[in-house]
């Protein structure tokens, strides 16, 4: 019997918070869409070295669909949305490590905090987190040549170390302050830092753009090139505005100072740092 | 390890080139780990319609030791890209890919019918480490070659014209490393690399020396190995590996070896024409012609397959160049007074002209060298491709249509740089049995391997007779190691332990009085800790030198 | 990017004419390092020993090692990464910002002089300690130094090596690599090795409370790890194998006294440059060796019903 995915949602509600991390790469719309409620309930998760079932940890409502909603604090549940290509996951609560890693399409929304490796090596799609996120957002896994290759990651709060490490394309925008090494070894794409970052931003970057609306402590290997009005920001503004990330235009209020680096590589990445006009 | 099972394999078509048996249907009897004339009881394996080979022998591979283990840590991305191995009732878990972990190395070799391998590069100083890894490499028997061509004690002696003493030092070193043979890598070049240089000419002094040249090192070591009566000839990685136009060096090397036995490792990497990367081309025809004229030589292909791998060699200067050419990460360890090692991950691409030429040259040499008893199947694992891809090469050698199909995928510009499209030779199963087993066993001087005659080790591989040779040789139906069934219906059933093969050449023990003070001056550990004790080699089998 | 260019210590002894210690205090922490390997010994190509070598110390404070140095470069705390990055730019004759360079605590002239000495050395070596690898930037500080050493090979021979800690840390690293393909931070829960430092490294797992039992071998985390990690060890069943009573053994449910490796237990230790050294026991111990205890634990576990790993598909990186 060929089942068709219904338009209704699949809803998982966490019954008990696992005492050690639970690995749940099976929780993607791709894997759930054509399954019945019972089939979903029986899907395997991994708790430490033991295999468990979805319904050991979640109440399952509804058959499979392209829309998965997860309720509860799944901050210890790893790999949700791994490699997804389509559909939508909404998490009402915190999300665990590797959320949306390797995803190539669809959308993930988290109403809460996320952990490390959000969108690790993602190829496309959208991840939106209202709260804080951990480190290595959109980054390359250890040893890999490149991090995210396309897609969008939006973080409402703060973020950790090595945001966008070795990313090639795509956008990462973060409203809160970011820790060290944002854009480490970046090869392309754009990182928007609405509240700036701690230190070593853009370290060893080859290409790509980091925009910061707050002053940055620069590495000595970045050189000031010009103060200007980067017109391409219009495009980003348009794309980010619906999510509440407004980029100011150069003019009466201020201007963007452009720095190039990292000369240690030597690279041709750019840092655009917003400088408000003094009142 | 010798099994005690009694087995009779009936109805299979037996290919046993060591005894001139070419596809004859006959029974094979096994008892106490050996091939015997007949058995009375025991289990019968019905091999009707199947093909029976002697267990494979890899004459040149890098599966254990400091250099390979250094590479493992450098390429987590490669480990993640390939399927790993999950622990089960019988098997340990581990990593496959370009640099399999020790247990998996044993499973993968046995899993394609190989039962003996020769780890081709071991420094004396870290031989203890190599043997520890080989202890953890199950099923297969293992021999090792100790690195000698950049050993400064040996080079200093050759510089001073003290050939006889150099011979004693080599003899002592083989036993100290519990090795089976002698390896020479880029003779003189690795020593020069310790100052960031390479050797310039084959007949010019090595940097840092006034007299001794790569040619002297090559011919002296070949002579020493012959005079020590080692079962395996000097195992030589020529100078100028990988470089455009290196055909000249390789031809000169063959000349310098006249009168001695020698095994030229991974010949593919030494058969290039052109002056630089833009006019890089195959010189396999000239190399094969010269090789065919020199019956003192054996070689292995060092073939390349397209895809991801990691290159590991004691050839430090080449690895630095490769790192600069590709921009990929680079690892290097120089080993005091003895050798070095470089590691660079690499992708061979069909559309890359240089890679296309390399791919063709490996196959061309296998097809142009007319005596299959003198060229063996290798990829210089993991340099040209991982050893578990050998079946793909077998298919390219046996199946002309498939080979033509693959040639069509190359960039058209590559076609006038190679000879492969003009070669129509196809390997027979008998010839495959030679280049994967009987030939390398003979080159290693292992009369009891690659042999299904009465009295030989009962290392046997049984394959389905499949039109697709790649499939056939990837999934043996049965593999028997030392008389024990280790693979049955394609599954690992039993993980026996393999032997450590080594030699104890004749040398004057008083040479230690010469080495000890030099060692204490130039090394950084206690001399007594330098040689590996025999009991550190698991299931050691000391082979005769005669 | 990535990679490591190094050598065995005998190469340093025989060849190094420029020796740089970075973020370490070998005079007190590795007292034999100067005399046996790096500074004092007469080597094959440095026949006059100490006289033929230049020693430079880079650190944030003047330690006793500074007395042994020809040049002591005192830098501001947490500026190592910046300094190494500037050196990488200088050796390639790329521009750097002098005003920001000054924050390192050294002048641009001092850094240029250092870069110049590095390039002119015949054989340079950088040894780095925990002052580099365990301060802000951590693995990236080490990566920076390793990258600088690799890049210097465009000009001369240059290597770098970590000053590993006590015991057989290197041996653990070496064996993990041949058994699992990875040096540390390995998870075997799914029946095959996975690697992700930060996720699977010991301190991070303990602080997050990601494990529900612990087996401690050849280490005293109770004395060295951050308090939240120690608290978790005290919370879960912890088993410690150690010849002595330690901070860790005190918070363990079980402490098994074992023979002292190297004195009463044989084996192989790997030196910081990964050279294997045989250990030959000199004394007999009434206690079992670590190996024996582990073997016996393993035998006991083998008597229990076999628990096979989960059968869920393996996670591999898609191409």
């Amino acid at each position: 019997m060929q089942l068709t995915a219904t338009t209704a949602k699949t809803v998982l509600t966490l019954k008990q918070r696992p005492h050690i991390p639970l690995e749940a790469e099976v929780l993607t719309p791709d894997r759930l869409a054509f399954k019945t409620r019972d089939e979903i309930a029986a899907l395997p998760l991994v708790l430490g070295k033991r295999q468990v079932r979805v319904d050991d940890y979640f109440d399952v409502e509804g058959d499979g669909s392209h829309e998965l909603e997860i309720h509860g604090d799944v901050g210890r549940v790893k790999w949700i949305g791994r490699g997804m290509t389509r559909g939508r996951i909404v998490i009402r609560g915190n999300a665990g490590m590797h959320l949306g890693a390797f995803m190539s399409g669809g959308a993930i929304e988290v109403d809460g905090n996320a952990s490390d490796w959000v969108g690790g090596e993602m190829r496309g799609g959208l991840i939106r987190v209202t709260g804080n996120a951990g480190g290595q957002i959109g980054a390359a896994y250890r040893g890999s040549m490149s991090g995210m290759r396309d897609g969008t990651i939006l973080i409402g709060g703060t973020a950790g170390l090595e945001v966008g490490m070795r990313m090639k394309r795509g956008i990462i925008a973060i409203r809160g302050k970011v820790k060290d090494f944002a854009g480490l070894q970046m090869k392309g794409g754009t990182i928007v830092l609405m509240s700036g970052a701690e230190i070593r931003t853009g370290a060893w970057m080859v290409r790509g753009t980091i925009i910061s609306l707050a002053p940055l402590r620069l590495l000595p290997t970045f050189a000031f090139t010009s103060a200007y009005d980067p017109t391409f920001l219009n495009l980003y503004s348009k794309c980010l505005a619906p999510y509440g990330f407004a980029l100011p235009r150069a003019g009466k209020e201020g201007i963007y100072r452009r720095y190039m680096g990292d000369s240690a590589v030597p690279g041709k990445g750019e840092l655009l740092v917003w400088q408000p006009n003094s009142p | 390890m010798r099994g005690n099972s009694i087995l009779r394999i009936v109805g299979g078509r037996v290919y046993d080139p060591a005894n001139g048996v070419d596809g004859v249907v006959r029974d094979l009897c096994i008892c106490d780990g050996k091939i015997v004339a007949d058995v009375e009881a025991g289990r019968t394996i019905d091999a009707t319609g199947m093909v029976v080979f002697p267990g494979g022998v890899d004459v040149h591979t890098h599966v254990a030791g400091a250099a390979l283990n250094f590479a493992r840590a450098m390429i987590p991305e490669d480990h993640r890209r390939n399927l790993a191995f999950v622990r089960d009732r019988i098997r340990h878990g581990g990593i496959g890919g370009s640099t399999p972990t020790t247990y998996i190395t044993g499973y993968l070799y046995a899993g394609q019918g190989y039962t003996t391998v020769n780890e081709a590069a071991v420094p004396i100083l870290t031989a203890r480490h190599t043997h520890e890894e080989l202890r953890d490499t199950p099923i297969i028997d293992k021999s090792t070659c100790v690195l000698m061509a950049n050993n400064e004690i040996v080079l200093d002696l050759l510089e001073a014209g003290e050939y006889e003493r150099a011979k004693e030092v080599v003899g002592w070193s083989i036993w100290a490393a519990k090795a089976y043979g002698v390896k020479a890598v880029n003779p003189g070049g690795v020593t020069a690399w310790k100052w960031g240089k390479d050797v310039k000419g084959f007949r010019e002094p090595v940097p840092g020396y006034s007299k001794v040249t790569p040619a002297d090192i090559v011919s002296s070591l070949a002579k020493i190995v012959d005079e020590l009566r080692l079962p395996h000839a000097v195992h030589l990685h020529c100078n100028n590996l990988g470089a455009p136009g290196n055909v000249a060096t390789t031809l000169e090397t063959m000349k310098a070896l006249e009168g001695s036995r020698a095994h030229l490792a991974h010949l593919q990497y030494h058969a290039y024409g052109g002056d630089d990367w833009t006019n890089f081309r195959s010189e396999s025809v000239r190399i094969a012609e010269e090789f065919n004229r020199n019956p003192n030589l054996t070689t292995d292909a060092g073939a390349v397959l397209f895809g991801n791998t990691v290159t590991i060699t004691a050839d430090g200067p080449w690895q630095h160049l490769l790192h600069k050419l590709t921009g990929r990460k680079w690892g290097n360890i120089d080993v005091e007074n003895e050798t070095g090692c470089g590691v660079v991950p690499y992708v061979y691409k069909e559309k890359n002209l240089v890679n296309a030429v390399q791919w063709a040259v490996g196959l061309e040499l296998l097809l142009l060298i007319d005596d299959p008893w003198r060229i063996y199947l290798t990829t210089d694992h993991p340099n040209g491709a991982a050893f578990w891809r050998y079946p793909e090469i077998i298919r390219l050698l046996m199946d002309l249509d498939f080979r033509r199909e693959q040639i069509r995928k190359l960039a058209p510009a590559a076609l006038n740089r190679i000879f492969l499209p003009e070669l129509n030779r196809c390997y027979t199963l008998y010839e495959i049995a030679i280049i994967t087993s009987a030939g390398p066993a003979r080159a290693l001087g292992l009369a009891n391997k690659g042999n299904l005659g009465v009295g030989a080790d009962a290392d046997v591989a049984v394959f389905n007779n499949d039109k697709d040779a790649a499939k056939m040789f990837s999934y043996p139906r049965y593999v028997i190691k030392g008389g024990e069934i280790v693979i049955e219906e394609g599954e690992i059933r039993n993980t026996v332990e393999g032997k450590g093969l080594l030699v104890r050449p004749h040398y004057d023990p008083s040479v230690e009085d010469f080495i000890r003070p030099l060692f204490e001056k130039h090394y950084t550990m206690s001399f007594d800790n330098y040689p590996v004790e025999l009991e550190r080699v698991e299931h050691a089998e000391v082979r005769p030198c005669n | 990017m990535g990679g490591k260019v190094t050598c065995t210590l005998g190469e340093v002894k025989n060849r190094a004419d420029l020796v740089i210690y970075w973020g370490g205090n070998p005079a007190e922490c590795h007292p034999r390092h100067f005399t046996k390997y790096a500074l004092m010994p007469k080597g094959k190509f440095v026949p006059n020993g100490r006289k033929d070598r230049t020693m430079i110390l880079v650190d944030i404070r003047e330690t006793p090692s500074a007395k042994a140095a020809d040049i002591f470069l005192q830098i501001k705390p947490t500026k190592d990464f910046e300094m190494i990055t500037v050196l990488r730019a200088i050796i390639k004759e790329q521009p750097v910002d002098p005003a920001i360079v000054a924050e390192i605590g050294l002048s641009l002239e001092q850094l240029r002089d250092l870069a110049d000495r590095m390039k002119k050395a015949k054989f340079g070596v950088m040894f780095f300690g925990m002052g580099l690898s365990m301060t802000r930037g951590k693995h990236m500080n080490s990566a920076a130094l390793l990258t600088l050493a690799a890049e210097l090979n465009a000009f001369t021979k240059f290597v770098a090596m970590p000053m590993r800690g006590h015991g057989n840390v290197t041996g653990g690293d070496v064996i993990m690599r041949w058994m699992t393909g990875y040096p540390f931070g390995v998870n075997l829960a799914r029946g095959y090795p996975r690697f992700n430092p930060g996720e699977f490294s010991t301190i991070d797992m303990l602080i997050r409370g990601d494990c529900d039992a612990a087996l401690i071998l050849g280490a005293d985390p109770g004395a060295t790890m951050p308090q939240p990690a120690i608290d978790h060890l005290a919370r879960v069943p912890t088993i410690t194998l150690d010849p002595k009573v330690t901070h860790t053994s005190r918070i363990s449910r079980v402490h098994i006294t074992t023979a002292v490796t190297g004195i009463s237990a044989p084996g192989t230790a790997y030196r910081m440059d990964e050279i294997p050294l045989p250990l030959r026991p000199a004394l007999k111990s009434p206690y079992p060796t670590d190996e024996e205890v582990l073997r016996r634990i393993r035998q006991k576990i083998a008597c229990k019903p076999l628990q096979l790993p989960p059968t869920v598909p393996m996670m591999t990186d898609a191409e």
Side-chain angles (χ1 to χ4, degrees):
Chain A
M1 185 181 64
Q2 177 72 45
L3 291 171
T4 37
T6 54
T7 48
K9 285 188 292 197
T10 314
V11 181
L12 300 183
T13 307
L14 189 70
K15 293 199 282 197
Q16 52 162 324
R17 197 165 187 267
H19 74 293
I20 53 172
L22 184 65
E23 299 188 330
E25 68 272 20
V26 74
L27 298 184
T28 68
D30 302 73
R31 305 279 282 275
L32 304 187
F34 300 102
K35 294 198 160 54
T36 63
R37 198 211 78 92
D38 290 349
E39 285 169 336
I40 292 170
L43 285 172
L45 305 175
V46 181
L47 180 77
K49 59 181 180 178
R50 292 187 165 77
Q51 189 163 327
V52 296
R53 288 161 53 106
V54 165
D55 61 1
D56 288 332
Y57 281 87
F58 294 95
D59 287 321
V60 184
E61 288 169 61
D63 290 332
S65 72
H66 292 300
E67 183 147 349
L68 169 65
E69 205 169 286
I70 300 173
H71 292 265
D73 181 357
V74 289
R76 275 208 136 143
V77 183
K78 295 178 180 178
W79 297 108
I80 295 172
R82 183 185 207 270
M84 67 188 270
T85 66
R86 62 203 151 94
R88 200 160 84 109
I89 300 177
V90 178
I91 299 173
R92 307 247 178 250
N94 302 326
M97 274 191 207
H98 310 289
L99 177 75
F102 300 102
M103 74 187 274
S104 58
I108 300 178
E109 289 168 40
V110 179
D111 195 1
N113 299 327
S115 186
D116 302 333
W117 303 98
V118 171
E121 296 191 23
M122 76 189 280
R123 275 95 162 136
L126 171 75
I127 302 176
R128 198 175 157 204
V129 177
T130 60
N132 302 329
Q136 292 86 20
I137 295 169
Y141 282 99
R142 299 296 171 199
S144 290
M145 300 267 278
S146 44
M148 68 188 282
R149 296 184 200 165
D150 213 342
T152 306
I153 302 176
L154 306 169
I155 309 291
T158 60
L161 297 168
E162 299 179 354
V163 166
M165 182 239 292
R166 293 187 203 153
M167 70 186 283
K168 257 186 157 167
R169 276 187 72 179
I171 307 174
I172 300 174
I174 297 165
R175 195 189 311 281
K177 195 154 179 175
V178 171
K179 287 190 181 160
D180 305 1
F181 292 113
L184 175 67
Q185 294 176 300
M186 195 172 169
K187 298 174 166 189
T190 307
I191 298 176
V192 179
L193 305 168
M194 303 295 283
S195 309
E198 292 194 17
I199 55 172
R200 300 168 183 167
T201 308
W204 304 2
M205 68 191 290
V206 183
R207 281 182 186 279
T209 305
I210 300 174
I211 302 158
S212 177
L213 301 191
L216 289 177
R217 289 177 65 190
L218 295 176
L219 280 169
T221 43
F222 280 79
F224 175 72
T225 61
S226 57
Y228 81 130
D229 175 18
T231 47
F232 70 89
L233 287 190
N234 284 346
L235 210 68
Y236 290 114
S237 279
K238 254 185 213 155
C239 155
L240 294 172
Y243 305 105
F245 289 81
L247 294 177
R249 282 292 306 269
K252 269 187 289 184
E253 284 161 33
I255 195 155
Y256 286 93
R257 290 175 63 83
R258 180 177 181 273
Y259 300 84
M260 201 178 87
D262 182 328
S263 71
V265 178
K268 287 182 177 164
E270 60 176 4
L271 294 181
L272 299 174
V273 183
W274 174 251
Q275 191 183 43
N277 289 336
S278 29
Chain B
M1 287 292 273
R2 177 183 287 195
N4 50 13
S5 302
I6 299 173
L7 285 173
R8 179 188 288 270
I9 303 168
V10 299
R13 248 184 328 120
V14 176
Y15 291 84
D16 179 17
N19 297 296
V21 177
D22 181 4
V24 179
V25 177
R26 61 152 70 163
D27 293 358
L28 209 59
C29 298
I30 292 167
C31 185
D32 285 341
K34 298 282 176 192
I35 308 281
V36 293
D38 200 4
V39 288
E40 304 231 313
R43 182 177 161 186
T44 299
I45 290 174
D46 183 3
T48 308
M50 298 180 201
V51 168
V52 180
F53 266 40
V57 178
D58 197 337
V59 76
H60 183 104
T61 185
H62 303 285
V63 289
L68 189 90
N69 211 34
F70 183 64
R72 288 188 181 113
M74 258 180 71
I75 50 167
E77 71 282 13
D78 187 85
H79 304 340
R80 288 196 302 266
R81 199 161 40 218
N82 291 282
L83 274 185
F85 285 73
V86 181
R87 165 177 75 82
D88 65 17
R89 280 166 208 283
I90 294 161
R91 289 189 330 203
H92 286 259
I95 295 293
S98 306
T99 55
T101 47
T102 52
Y103 285 96
I104 309 306
T105 298
Y107 307 151
L108 283 169
Y109 262 118
Q112 61 184 17
Y114 272 67
T115 47
T116 305
V117 306
N118 181 38
E119 158 57 56
V122 182
I124 313 165
L125 194 61
T126 56
R128 185 178 300 278
H129 175 170
T130 307
H131 289 297
E132 291 206 329
E133 282 198 36
L134 292 177
R135 279 173 88 110
D136 281 352
T137 307
I139 306 177
I140 50 178
D141 291 342
K142 297 137 296 201
S143 59
T144 62
C145 287
V146 65
L147 293 155
M148 285 277 101
N150 294 280
N151 183 299
E152 286 163 24
I153 295 180
V154 172
L155 262 52
D156 290 352
L157 286 171
L158 293 179
E159 171 89 356
E162 293 199 51
Y163 171 84
E164 285 302 323
R165 186 170 266 169
K167 186 166 84 185
E168 299 297 321
V169 170
V170 172
W172 182 90
S173 302
I174 292 166
W175 181 243
K178 297 296 172 283
Y180 181 81
V182 169
K183 175 77 176 296
V185 173
N186 186 359
V190 183
T191 295
W193 171 243
K194 298 209 169 147
W195 296 119
K197 298 185 174 76
D198 197 354
V199 288
K200 292 191 189 79
F202 187 62
R203 297 194 182 276
E204 283 176 53
V206 171
Y209 291 85
S210 58
K211 283 197 285 226
V212 70
T213 64
D216 298 333
I217 303 172
V218 165
S219 52
S220 304
L221 281 177
K223 218 170 125 200
I224 286 172
V225 168
D226 282 354
E227 289 179 9
L228 290 173
R229 296 165 170 271
L230 299 191
H232 182 43
V234 68
H235 197 107
L236 175 61
H237 158 144
C238 298
N239 300 95
N240 267 331
L241 174 139
N246 63 12
V247 58
T249 309
T250 312
L251 293 174
E252 272 190 282
T253 306
M254 290 190 199
K255 191 169 271 175
L257 287 166
E258 271 171 25
S260 300
R261 294 177 302 158
H263 178 82
L264 304 181
H266 40 69
L267 195 56
Q268 179 276 128
Y269 286 106
H270 304 276
Y272 306 144
D275 313 307
D276 56 36
W277 299 109
T278 57
N279 57 14
F280 186 83
R281 63 191 152 77
S282 166
E283 282 287 8
S284 60
V285 171
R286 276 172 72 195
I287 290 287
E289 279 172 359
E290 188 57 31
F291 183 88
N292 286 337
R293 272 198 292 274
N294 287 274
N296 56 319
L297 302 177
T298 58
T299 189
D300 62 88
V304 153
L305 289 168
F306 298 115
N308 275 290
T309 191
V310 58
T311 64
I312 304 175
T313 165
D315 201 336
W318 163 252
Q319 292 298 73
H320 183 238
L321 179 68
L322 190 62
H323 152 71
K324 296 223 301 205
L325 287 171
T326 60
R328 296 289 295 270
K329 52 192 163 192
W330 170 46
N332 184 82
I333 326 176
D334 289 340
V335 179
E336 59 207 63
N337 312 309
E338 291 184 17
T339 183
C341 129
V343 177
V344 181
Y346 195 76
V347 195
Y348 292 99
K349 295 176 182 153
E350 273 163 3
K351 297 298 176 201
N352 175 306
L353 286 184
V354 171
N355 296 162
V357 170
Q358 293 177 308
W359 176 80
V361 171
L363 298 171
E364 287 167 8
L365 290 169
L366 281 159
L367 296 166
L368 287 166
I369 288 175
D370 46 27
D371 182 1
W373 284 96
R374 293 205 289 129
I375 181 164
Y376 319 120
L377 177 58
T378 68
T379 53
D380 187 17
H381 165 80
N383 290 289
F387 66 80
W388 43 265
R389 296 183 66 190
Y390 288 174
E392 295 175 47
I393 301 173
I394 297 178
R395 185 172 182 202
L396 286 162
L397 293 174
M398 293 187 75
D399 183 342
L400 188 59
D401 292 338
F402 176 69
R403 193 155 81 216
R404 288 195 171 132
E405 210 175 289
Q406 300 308 304
I407 292 171
R408 275 197 290 278
K409 291 184 187 163
L410 303 180
L415 296 182
N416 52 27
R417 297 158 180 252
I418 61 175
F419 303 101
L420 192 60
E422 299 141 41
L423 305 178
N424 294 325
R425 179 177 164 196
C426 285
Y427 268 67
T428 61
L429 280 174
Y430 186 69
E431 287 172 322
I432 295 295
I434 298 173
I435 66 166
T436 60
S437 177
R442 185 178 285 180
L444 286 167
L446 292 168
N448 53 336
K449 300 287 181 190
N451 184 342
L452 297 177
V454 169
D457 288 355
D459 299 347
V460 186
V462 181
F463 301 98
N464 281 326
N465 195 2
D466 198 305
K467 269 210 187 82
D468 179 348
K471 208 170 125 201
M472 169 171 173
F473 287 102
S474 294
Y475 305 102
R477 287 286 293 270
Y478 299 92
V479 177
I480 292 145
K481 169 64 186 44
E484 293 294 328
I485 300 175
V486 291
I487 307 267
E488 193 168 348
E489 303 302 334
E491 294 276 316
I492 292 207
R493 292 290 160 89
N494 186 358
T495 60
V496 298
E497 287 171 347
K499 286 185 288 203
L501 306 172
L502 53 125
V503 294
R504 182 172 197 168
H506 179 78
Y507 61 87
D508 178 358
S510 71
V511 71
E512 212 164 287
D513 300 334
F514 168 76
I515 300 172
R516 184 186 287 267
L518 283 176
F519 185 91
E520 279 163 0
K521 205 164 153 201
H522 296 314
Y523 281 73
T524 49
M525 65 194 240
S526 152
F527 183 69
D528 297 328
N529 288 338
Y530 189 42
V532 180
E533 305 78 10
L534 185 59
E535 56 272 21
R536 291 286 185 133
V537 181
E538 195 163 58
H539 308 301
E541 182 177 302
V542 182
R543 308 280 305 178
C545 293
N546 43 30
Chain C
M1 49 168 264
K4 180 171 161 185
V5 178
T6 189
C7 66
T8 64
L9 285 165
E11 284 295 291
V12 175
K13 167 179 156 175
N14 285 326
R15 295 169 195 266
D17 58 346
L18 177 64
V19 180
I20 299 173
Y21 286 96
W22 199 303
N25 177 15
E28 289 185 309
C29 302
H30 295 83
R32 311 238 297 148
H33 208 266
F34 286 163
T35 51
K36 210 170 164 203
Y37 308 118
L39 212 52
M40 313 311 289
K42 296 185 164 84
K44 194 168 179 187
F45 304 101
V46 276
N48 304 308
R50 180 69 183 86
K51 282 198 208 103
D52 287 341
R53 309 184 203 259
T54 302
M55 197 277 248
I56 298 174
L57 178 70
V58 183
D59 208 343
I60 58 165
R61 70 179 77 83
E62 193 170 338
T63 63
S65 297
K67 281 195 209 70
D70 297 301
I71 300 169
F72 172 51
L73 298 173
Q74 186 167 5
I75 63 169
K76 296 263 162 61
T78 75
K79 288 292 177 190
D80 304 84
F81 182 85
E82 283 69 11
M83 176 169 167
I84 299 164
T85 301
V86 167
L87 288 169
R88 284 184 61 197
I90 292 175
I91 61 165
K92 296 182 199 122
E93 291 168 5
Q94 294 292 315
V96 294
D97 187 324
I100 309 177
V101 166
E103 294 172 10
I104 295 169
L106 300 174
S107 68
L108 189 51
E109 285 62 44
Q110 282 175 297
L111 289 167
R112 287 209 172 112
D113 174 65
L114 175 57
D116 200 44
R117 286 172 187 276
M118 287 171 156
K119 282 186 176 181
K120 284 188 180 145
K122 274 202 204 144
F123 185 113
V125 57
M126 294 188 279
F127 293 106
F128 58 100
M130 297 209 292
L132 183 77
S133 58
M134 297 305 281
T135 54
R136 189 167 179 177
K138 291 189 174 177
H139 64 277
M140 283 310 299
N141 294 346
S142 311
L145 207 73
L146 293 170
T147 306
L148 173 62
E151 290 179 347
L152 279 162
N153 282 274
F155 308 96
T156 184
K157 185 79 193 178
F158 228 101
V159 297
M161 198 187 302
M163 300 283 278
R164 304 295 286 264
H166 311 285
N168 192 9
V169 184
T170 309
D173 182 313
V174 165
I175 292 172
M176 285 289 275
R177 266 144 56 195
W178 87 55
M179 299 285 269
T180 73
Y182 305 111
F184 57 87
V186 182
N187 180 318
L188 294 164
R190 287 174 84 152
Y192 61 94
R194 288 183 295 162
F195 167 72
N196 199 18
E199 183 178 7
F200 300 138
S201 30
T202 317
I203 294 183
D204 303 272
M205 291 205 41
L206 290 174
I207 290 177
R208 279 193 305 268
D210 281 356
C211 60
D212 55 8
L215 174 71
I216 309 292
L217 191 64
D220 188 9
T224 53
M225 283 190 181
Q227 196 57 45
I230 297 171
D231 292 345
H232 192 69
L233 281 177
R235 204 153 40 227
V236 299
T238 293
I239 305 155
T240 297
L241 273 55
D242 206 296
K244 304 177 299 296
V245 171
T246 63
H247 288 87
T248 314
S249 76
R250 286 200 188 92
I251 56 168
S252 300
R253 296 280 170 91
V254 179
H255 173 199
I256 300 172
T257 307
T258 52
V260 182
T261 304
I263 295 175
S264 307
T268 305
Y270 285 77
R271 207 166 70 177
M272 65 163 74
D273 56 354
E274 300 193 358
I275 298 265
L277 297 170
L279 301 176
R280 299 189 179 93
L283 300 169
K284 268 211 145 76
S285 167
Y287 300 108
T289 64
D290 290 336
E291 192 187 355
E292 206 179 320
V293 172
L294 291 177
R295 199 186 301 278
R296 281 162 63 187
I297 293 175
R298 202 163 165 249
Q299 277 164 3
K300 283 286 174 198
I301 292 173
C303 299
K304 294 188 154 199
L306 182 72
Q307 199 211 325
L308 285 173
T311 55
V312 295
M314 189 174 295
M315 291 199 271
T316 54
D317 289 11
E319 269 297 278

